[in-house]
Amino acid sequence: SLDASGAVLSRCPSCSRNFNNIYCNNICSPNQSLFTNVTRVINHTSALGVHQLAVVEYQIFYRKDFAD
């Protein structure tokens, strides 16, 4: 998933690292519930016909020291 941003951020290694860090925290952090607020979901049917909810919009709240 990070390859798509690589072309845009490849000229700035620091920007690339920062973006990757934030992206990975959004997706993989075991503490997502502490800083993520889901604001919109939709009903989704998978290719196997399974009905699921899919998150399509969310808010992220980071501490200032993390953002800096």
Side-chain angles (χ1 to χ4, degrees):
S1 296
L2 296 174
D3 289 343
S5 65
V8 175
L9 299 173
S10 63
R11 290 185 236 158
C12 178
S14 294
C15 295
S16 182
R17 268 192 312 278
N18 289 340
F19 179 84
N20 292 348
N21 187 32
I22 289 174
Y23 181 84
C24 289
N25 268 293
N26 287 348
I27 304 304
C28 303
S29 174
N31 299 316
Q32 284 178 333
S33 65
L34 301 177
F35 59 85
T36 304
N37 179 37
V38 174
T39 57
R40 190 168 147 220
V41 295
I42 61 169
N43 289 315
H44 171 73
T45 303
S46 73
L48 299 175
V50 177
H51 298 288
Q52 302 171 318
L53 291 177
V55 174
V56 293
E57 187 174 292
Y58 60 93
Q59 295 172 313
I60 296 292
F61 301 95
Y62 290 129
R63 292 186 318 260
K64 183 169 176 15
D65 61 329
F66 177 83
D68 289 343

